[in-house]
Amino acid sequence: MCIRDRYQAYFTVAPNMGYDICSQRISESDKLGLDLSSLRKALNGAELVQPNTLQRFTDAFTDCGFSKDAWYVCYGLAEATLLVSGENYRPNSNHPTSKRVRCGRVIGEQRVMIVEPKTHRPLDDGSIGEIWIQGPSCAIGYWNNLSATEEIFHASPADTSQGHWLRTGDLGFLQAEHLTLTGRLKEIIIVAGQNHAPADIESSAVDNHPHLGRAAAFALQNDGPETLVIVVELTREMTRLHRKDFGTIDESALVRWVIRSVTEDHGIKPADVLVCPQGAIPRTPNGKLQRLACKEAYLNANLKTVSQSHPDD
């Protein structure tokens, strides 16, 4: 973000991780001359919104004129020509039983239904299921891909005659006409018969620890029941320190901290925790976490861990 006096920007938008990167990398010298007082809308969407991210960014940039009232949390996807729901963020809008942030009321003429993914049965308010969308903002299908168009854009709820709906592949729930996103259907973690959102586990793994940055959580199914694996990255500063003075990181202490935090918050004990330098977890070109790619790299032993790092890397 380079918003200076001469631009007087009013509006900006980024995924949650973008605001985290700003908070982590900004230096006091970088803040000199930075004026965010003209910013009236800071949209946070495209991935799960984390309340700790909003607080860290606010704390980092309040002295630059950023106002917490500028936060606007939202949900959308390209297949619905982007925006589906949104609202100004207030801390008390969090879902009371979790760290999740609700993404506002459905916008315009769009309709949202929460559906049980396997049976296609519509669910009641407060129940987590797949988010389905219907309305004039939805696209008509994928270019030259009839099978995917039929599966994604022509879904029909069970026991209803409500026409075609768009399956988002995202999980969430409606409560008092507000939509809350909980994760991706294909990334859900099931351990001991209980569903867990990876982002909730990842938040428990790294939040409130000064030396840990991002994390990726996924389940493994071998001969027995599914087990939980967590990959955590060091912060940028700790990665630099580790490369400069190899061996300074107490990896076992970090592993114990992650296991204890996740077990206390979710009642499941990770079977394996890997500590990696910053940048080890696969990401998309725009920086979004790739959990399935991380799982594949883990299975193929292609993740660089702290114990494998070298000061000259």
Side-chain angles (χ1 to χ4, degrees), residues 50-70:
Q50 302 292 346
N52 288 341
T53 296
L54 304 182
Q55 188 61 55
R56 282 192 293 265
F57 187 93
T58 300
D59 292 343
F61 292 97
T62 293
D63 290 344
C64 301
F66 179 79
S67 170
K68 65 180 185 302
D69 294 331

Side-chain angles (χ1 to χ4, degrees), residues 47-300:
E47 60 184 18
L48 285 175
V49 179
Q50 302 292 346
N52 288 341
T53 296
L54 304 182
Q55 188 61 55
R56 282 192 293 265
F57 187 93
T58 300
D59 292 343
F61 292 97
T62 293
D63 290 344
C64 301
F66 179 79
S67 170
K68 65 180 185 302
D69 294 331
W71 285 121
Y72 187 89
V73 294
C74 53
Y75 166 71
L77 64 162
E79 289 85 347
T81 54
L82 209 56
L83 193 61
V84 174
S85 69
E87 70 177 5
N88 292 319
Y89 172 74
R90 296 292 181 272
N92 62 4
S93 69
N94 287 1
H95 189 247
T97 60
S98 73
K99 299 178 181 179
R100 301 180 184 122
V101 175
R102 71 184 190 186
C103 299
R105 294 179 182 271
V106 178
I107 292 172
E109 299 177 33
Q110 300 174 107
R111 298 174 61 198
V112 167
M113 179 186 297
I114 306 300
V115 176
E116 205 292 316
K118 294 182 179 178
T119 66
H120 294 185
R121 178 176 56 85
L123 299 174
D124 296 331
D125 266 20
S127 298
I128 295 176
E130 186 179 9
I131 300 170
W132 287 20
I133 304 170
Q134 185 185 72
S137 294
C138 293
I140 60 174
Y142 293 120
W143 181 257
N144 285 338
N145 194 335
L146 294 179
S147 61
T149 295
E150 183 67 25
E151 177 186 359
I152 303 300
F153 289 87
H154 295 171
S156 297
D159 302 324
T160 69
S161 56
Q162 300 187 44
H164 291 162
W165 290 72
L166 166 65
R167 297 189 64 172
T168 68
D170 293 318
L171 294 172
F173 60 89
L174 284 168
Q175 191 81 52
E177 300 182 355
H178 286 79
L179 179 65
T180 298
L181 186 68
T182 62
R184 289 286 292 168
L185 178 60
K186 64 182 180 181
E187 294 175 343
I188 199 71
I189 294 173
I190 305 174
V191 177
Q194 296 294 316
N195 291 356
H196 300 272
D200 291 344
I201 294 174
E202 292 156 2
S203 178
S204 296
V206 299
D207 279 357
N208 303 318
H209 196 292
H211 299 156
L212 295 177
R214 301 197 75 185
F218 49 87
L220 290 183
Q221 178 77 62
N222 295 315
D223 295 333
E226 282 194 326
T227 57
L228 174 65
V229 176
I230 303 176
V231 180
V232 296
E233 288 182 350
L234 298 175
T235 61
R236 186 185 188 192
E237 293 74 17
M238 290 306 296
T239 298
R240 186 185 300 116
L241 175 63
H242 178 63
R243 288 172 174 167
K244 180 179 179 180
D245 188 8
F246 186 65
T248 58
I249 303 299
D250 188 344
E251 184 179 3
S252 61
L254 293 177
V255 169
R256 290 194 299 271
W257 193 91
V258 170
I259 291 175
R260 183 175 64 253
S261 298
V262 171
T263 303
E264 289 177 354
D265 287 355
H266 304 279
I268 51 175
K269 183 178 180 180
D272 196 9
V273 175
L274 271 66
V275 181
C276 301
Q278 187 191 48
I281 296 175
R283 293 169 171 81
T284 64
N286 65 358
K288 291 180 67 175
L289 202 68
Q290 290 186 300
R291 296 183 182 90
L292 299 182
C294 185
K295 179 178 179 177
E296 182 177 353
Y298 172 86
L299 292 172
N300 293 326

Side-chain angles (χ1 to χ4, degrees), residues 26-40:
I26 193 73
S27 67
E28 292 304 315
S29 60
D30 290 333
K31 293 181 182 180
L32 297 176
L34 185 63
D35 182 6
L36 303 182
S37 61
S38 65
L39 197 60
R40 294 293 179 267

Side-chain angles (χ1 to χ4, degrees), residues 239-247 277 304-313:
T239 298
R240 186 185 300 116
L241 175 63
H242 178 63
R243 288 172 174 167
K244 180 179 179 180
D245 188 8
F246 186 65
K304 177 181 287 187
T305 64
V306 167
S307 57
Q308 295 170 332
S309 300
H310 187 275
D312 296 328
D313 285 349

